[in-house]
Amino acid sequence: MANQLCPLDQVFSALSDPTRRAIVMRLCAGEASVGELADPFDMALPSFMKHIHVLETSGLVQSEKSGRVRTCRLSPDALLGAEDWFQRQRAIWEARLDRFEAYVMKLKKEKERAAAKRPSRTTKKKGYE
Amino acid sequence: MANQLCPLDQVFSALSDPTRRAIVMRLCAGEASVGELADPFDMALPSFMKHIHVLETSGLVQSEKSGRVRTCRLSPDALLGAEDWFQRQRAIWEARLDRFEAYVMKLKKEKERAAAKRPSRTTKKKGYE
DNA sequence: ACTATAGTTAGCTTCATGGCTAACCAATTA
DNA sequence: TAATTGGTTAGCCATGAAGCTAACTATAGT
């Protein structure tokens, strides 16, 4: 229970389709009507509209109809939210790498100190630059 | 033809599932065995293994088996590639916003100059801070 | 050698996704 | 008012994704 409430599910799912990613990329450059958006694609309009709808329910795109033409624009919050997820993961990942590097440095230091004590033992194989 | 060659398809698709996102988050903190990864989830192992497999074919995760335990680790390139996509889109989006802002500023300037010529006309309703 | 552990393979169900056609509104334009 | 344009609704189909159980393999521990 309590599923599908996470917007990331829908955002990533929406972006997993190349057609929809192309639509988003197009909309980054500015708003457009459904017809303009659909034009480059060799696809029946109803199929294309499904993609638009997926993008709308994911929160990536908003649209409004005026007269008989529906204009779509990007709604950047969803995009930013997804980008943010990556940044958070990267932060965790990099923090871990830093700790690891610190650990390696500590080992290296210890080895050097040991080597200084009883000189000229296996101090070869530097590695790790 | 020539489809499914884009790694972004697979990466975003993989990340659209909360279970898989949780796995990735867990692996950001360090490598783990399949069993350790599966533990928090109330799911049959074969189902869970499918998720692992999806993550591997997407390039987000690598694993190797030693003895009877398979150890999984993050392979960050795929993650970075996806993050990069967002950054590129945001760059486009922001460039457009800048242009728009410049345009608005230009309009404002022109209006001010016009107002300076024939003073005290409708110079109210500033808006846009 | 036996048992338990850690994954794996095979095969099944159910439901979502992505595509289509055909028919249908509702604004414009002629 | 008639025809065109732009989008929408309804319904169909094929494929793939996500879950399960049951049975199996191979290593590690006793």
Side-chain angles (χ1 to χ4, degrees), chain B residues 2-3 5 8-9 13 18 22 35 42 44 48 51 59 61 67 71 73 75 80 85 91 94-95 106 112 125 129:
Chain B
N3 222 359
L5 288 170
L8 282 182
D9 286 23
S13 179
D42 185 19
F48 187 81
H51 288 298
V61 164
T71 302
R73 61 179 55 75
S75 117
L80 291 175
W85 185 84
E94 284 174 353
K106 200 185 104 196
E112 276 167 8
K125 211 170 194 185
E129 189 222 342

Tab-separated table of all heavy atoms in Angstrom, chain B residues 2-3 5 8-9 13 18 22 35 42 44 48 51 59 61 67 71 73 75 80 85 91 94-95 106 112 125 129:
chain	number	residue	atom	x	y	z
B	2	ALA	N	17.659	-0.093	-35.134
B	2	ALA	CA	18.662	0.635	-34.345
B	2	ALA	C	18.032	1.244	-33.099
B	2	ALA	O	18.088	2.438	-32.855
B	2	ALA	CB	19.329	1.732	-35.170
B	3	ASN	N	17.413	0.413	-32.337
B	3	ASN	CA	16.752	0.885	-31.142
B	3	ASN	C	17.425	0.311	-29.905
B	3	ASN	O	18.239	-0.577	-29.984
B	3	ASN	CB	15.276	0.474	-31.169
B	3	ASN	CG	14.392	1.620	-30.678
B	3	ASN	OD1	14.869	2.685	-30.307
B	3	ASN	ND2	13.108	1.394	-30.675
B	5	LEU	N	19.683	1.186	-28.201
B	5	LEU	CA	21.120	1.344	-28.114
B	5	LEU	C	21.479	2.473	-27.157
B	5	LEU	O	22.617	2.613	-26.758
B	5	LEU	CB	21.715	1.638	-29.496
B	5	LEU	CG	21.721	0.437	-30.431
B	5	LEU	CD1	22.084	0.844	-31.834
B	5	LEU	CD2	22.687	-0.603	-29.902
B	8	LEU	N	20.653	5.639	-21.917
B	8	LEU	CA	19.751	6.406	-21.056
B	8	LEU	C	18.402	5.723	-20.920
B	8	LEU	O	17.794	5.744	-19.849
B	8	LEU	CB	19.556	7.818	-21.608
B	8	LEU	CG	20.692	8.796	-21.355
B	8	LEU	CD1	20.342	10.160	-21.908
B	8	LEU	CD2	20.983	8.895	-19.869
B	9	ASP	N	17.928	5.127	-22.000
B	9	ASP	CA	16.683	4.377	-21.912
B	9	ASP	C	16.736	3.413	-20.746
B	9	ASP	O	15.865	3.393	-19.886
B	9	ASP	CB	16.453	3.560	-23.199
B	9	ASP	CG	16.034	4.421	-24.367
B	9	ASP	OD1	16.323	5.630	-24.338
B	9	ASP	OD2	15.434	3.876	-25.299
B	13	SER	N	14.903	3.748	-17.109
B	13	SER	CA	13.944	2.683	-16.864
B	13	SER	C	14.287	1.938	-15.580
B	13	SER	O	13.425	1.652	-14.752
B	13	SER	CB	13.934	1.731	-18.059
B	13	SER	OG	13.042	0.683	-17.830
B	18	PRO	N	11.177	1.796	-7.511
B	18	PRO	CA	11.658	2.178	-6.173
B	18	PRO	C	12.582	1.140	-5.561
B	18	PRO	O	13.544	1.505	-4.876
B	18	PRO	CB	10.372	2.324	-5.361
B	18	PRO	CG	9.312	1.636	-6.143
B	18	PRO	CD	9.722	1.685	-7.573
B	22	ALA	N	16.345	2.014	-4.500
B	22	ALA	CA	16.848	1.744	-3.151
B	22	ALA	C	18.146	0.950	-3.215
B	22	ALA	O	19.078	1.196	-2.443
B	22	ALA	CB	15.789	0.983	-2.356
B	35	GLY	N	22.493	-11.149	-1.008
B	35	GLY	CA	21.707	-11.433	0.188
B	35	GLY	C	21.546	-10.209	1.073
B	35	GLY	O	20.426	-9.888	1.493
B	42	ASP	N	10.757	-7.364	1.190
B	42	ASP	CA	9.843	-8.481	1.378
B	42	ASP	C	9.504	-9.039	0.002
B	42	ASP	O	8.432	-8.802	-0.542
B	42	ASP	CB	8.589	-7.971	2.100
B	42	ASP	CG	7.642	-9.119	2.439
B	42	ASP	OD1	8.114	-10.265	2.438
B	42	ASP	OD2	6.456	-8.842	2.673
B	44	ALA	N	10.504	-12.381	-2.938
B	44	ALA	CA	11.179	-13.647	-3.198
B	44	ALA	C	12.508	-13.371	-3.894
B	44	ALA	O	12.617	-12.448	-4.695
B	44	ALA	CB	10.302	-14.540	-4.064
B	48	PHE	N	13.842	-10.604	-6.757
B	48	PHE	CA	14.868	-9.621	-6.438
B	48	PHE	C	16.034	-9.693	-7.421
B	48	PHE	O	16.536	-8.662	-7.875
B	48	PHE	CB	15.374	-9.838	-5.015
B	48	PHE	CG	16.298	-8.765	-4.554
B	48	PHE	CD1	15.796	-7.563	-4.084
B	48	PHE	CD2	17.660	-8.952	-4.590
B	48	PHE	CE1	16.646	-6.556	-3.669
B	48	PHE	CE2	18.516	-7.947	-4.178
B	48	PHE	CZ	18.012	-6.751	-3.718
B	51	HIS	N	15.737	-7.699	-10.445
B	51	HIS	CA	16.084	-6.279	-10.312
B	51	HIS	C	17.584	-6.075	-10.444
B	51	HIS	O	18.047	-5.160	-11.123
B	51	HIS	CB	15.581	-5.756	-8.970
B	51	HIS	CG	14.100	-5.603	-8.904
B	51	HIS	ND1	13.405	-4.737	-9.722
B	51	HIS	CD2	13.168	-6.210	-8.142
B	51	HIS	CE1	12.112	-4.805	-9.455
B	51	HIS	NE2	11.941	-5.699	-8.497
B	59	GLY	N	23.887	-0.986	-16.778
B	59	GLY	CA	25.226	-0.443	-16.566
B	59	GLY	C	25.398	0.262	-15.236
B	59	GLY	O	26.472	0.777	-14.943
B	61	VAL	N	25.194	-1.120	-12.267
B	61	VAL	CA	25.759	-1.987	-11.239
B	61	VAL	C	26.618	-3.050	-11.906
B	61	VAL	O	26.299	-3.504	-13.007
B	61	VAL	CB	24.630	-2.634	-10.407
B	61	VAL	CG1	25.136	-3.822	-9.613
B	61	VAL	CG2	23.989	-1.620	-9.482
B	67	GLY	N	33.167	-17.683	-4.822
B	67	GLY	CA	32.572	-18.719	-3.995
B	67	GLY	C	31.090	-18.799	-4.306
B	67	GLY	O	30.707	-18.839	-5.468
B	71	THR	N	28.943	-10.413	-5.170
B	71	THR	CA	29.108	-9.076	-4.607
B	71	THR	C	28.791	-8.027	-5.666
B	71	THR	O	29.280	-8.108	-6.787
B	71	THR	CB	30.553	-8.884	-4.112
B	71	THR	OG1	30.849	-9.892	-3.147
B	71	THR	CG2	30.711	-7.517	-3.464
B	73	ARG	N	28.546	-3.932	-6.838
B	73	ARG	CA	29.036	-2.582	-6.572
B	73	ARG	C	28.497	-1.645	-7.629
B	73	ARG	O	28.147	-2.055	-8.738
B	73	ARG	CB	30.562	-2.550	-6.535
B	73	ARG	CG	31.246	-2.958	-7.840
B	73	ARG	CD	32.758	-2.878	-7.707
B	73	ARG	NE	33.241	-3.670	-6.573
B	73	ARG	CZ	33.321	-5.004	-6.577
B	73	ARG	NH1	32.948	-5.681	-7.660
B	73	ARG	NH2	33.756	-5.659	-5.543
B	75	SER	N	28.532	1.073	-10.482
B	75	SER	CA	29.468	1.475	-11.529
B	75	SER	C	29.031	2.865	-11.962
B	75	SER	O	28.060	3.046	-12.684
B	75	SER	CB	29.470	0.424	-12.621
B	75	SER	OG	29.031	0.874	-13.826
B	80	LEU	N	26.555	8.950	-13.699
B	80	LEU	CA	27.048	10.261	-14.118
B	80	LEU	C	26.476	10.651	-15.481
B	80	LEU	O	26.133	11.814	-15.703
B	80	LEU	CB	28.582	10.236	-14.175
B	80	LEU	CG	29.254	10.122	-12.808
B	80	LEU	CD1	30.758	9.988	-12.973
B	80	LEU	CD2	28.914	11.328	-11.943
B	85	TRP	N	22.782	14.289	-18.428
B	85	TRP	CA	21.650	14.611	-19.292
B	85	TRP	C	20.837	15.744	-18.678
B	85	TRP	O	20.487	16.712	-19.358
B	85	TRP	CB	20.774	13.374	-19.503
B	85	TRP	CG	19.663	13.618	-20.470
B	85	TRP	CD1	19.725	13.539	-21.828
B	85	TRP	CD2	18.319	13.994	-20.157
B	85	TRP	NE1	18.507	13.840	-22.370
B	85	TRP	CE2	17.632	14.117	-21.375
B	85	TRP	CE3	17.627	14.230	-18.968
B	85	TRP	CZ2	16.286	14.465	-21.430
B	85	TRP	CZ3	16.293	14.584	-19.029
B	85	TRP	CH2	15.631	14.695	-20.234
B	91	ALA	N	20.871	23.453	-18.721
B	91	ALA	CA	21.637	24.531	-19.357
B	91	ALA	C	20.813	25.173	-20.467
B	91	ALA	O	20.727	26.400	-20.574
B	91	ALA	CB	22.945	23.980	-19.910
B	94	GLU	N	17.944	27.130	-18.946
B	94	GLU	CA	18.350	28.367	-18.282
B	94	GLU	C	18.816	29.411	-19.284
B	94	GLU	O	18.585	30.608	-19.094
B	94	GLU	CB	19.456	28.069	-17.259
B	94	GLU	CG	18.877	27.429	-16.011
B	94	GLU	CD	19.956	26.994	-15.032
B	94	GLU	OE1	21.153	27.069	-15.382
B	94	GLU	OE2	19.598	26.579	-13.912
B	95	ALA	N	19.467	28.956	-20.349
B	95	ALA	CA	19.865	29.899	-21.388
B	95	ALA	C	18.628	30.587	-21.947
B	95	ALA	O	18.605	31.802	-22.156
B	95	ALA	CB	20.608	29.167	-22.507
B	106	LYS	N	14.753	44.529	-21.656
B	106	LYS	CA	14.755	45.450	-22.793
B	106	LYS	C	13.415	46.185	-22.871
B	106	LYS	O	13.366	47.410	-22.994
B	106	LYS	CB	14.999	44.670	-24.089
B	106	LYS	CG	15.507	45.521	-25.249
B	106	LYS	CD	15.618	44.727	-26.534
B	106	LYS	CE	14.486	45.053	-27.472
B	106	LYS	NZ	14.321	44.088	-28.556
B	112	GLU	N	10.557	52.646	-19.900
B	112	GLU	CA	11.044	53.738	-19.064
B	112	GLU	C	11.429	54.949	-19.900
B	112	GLU	O	11.139	56.093	-19.544
B	112	GLU	CB	12.256	53.268	-18.232
B	112	GLU	CG	11.854	52.555	-16.952
B	112	GLU	CD	13.023	51.839	-16.319
B	112	GLU	OE1	14.167	52.024	-16.784
B	112	GLU	OE2	12.790	51.065	-15.360
B	125	LYS	N	2.052	49.336	-11.745
B	125	LYS	CA	2.094	47.891	-11.997
B	125	LYS	C	3.484	47.425	-12.386
B	125	LYS	O	3.715	46.937	-13.511
B	125	LYS	CB	1.101	47.524	-13.099
B	125	LYS	CG	0.531	46.130	-12.918
B	125	LYS	CD	-0.618	45.873	-13.856
B	125	LYS	CE	-1.377	44.620	-13.430
B	125	LYS	NZ	-2.432	44.276	-14.373
B	129	GLU	N	9.284	42.178	-9.637
B	129	GLU	CA	10.188	42.765	-8.645
B	129	GLU	C	10.939	43.986	-9.145
B	129	GLU	O	11.770	43.906	-10.029
B	129	GLU	CB	11.211	41.701	-8.206
B	129	GLU	CG	12.032	42.172	-7.041
B	129	GLU	CD	13.472	41.800	-7.220
B	129	GLU	OE1	13.726	40.917	-8.041
B	129	GLU	OE2	14.325	42.407	-6.561
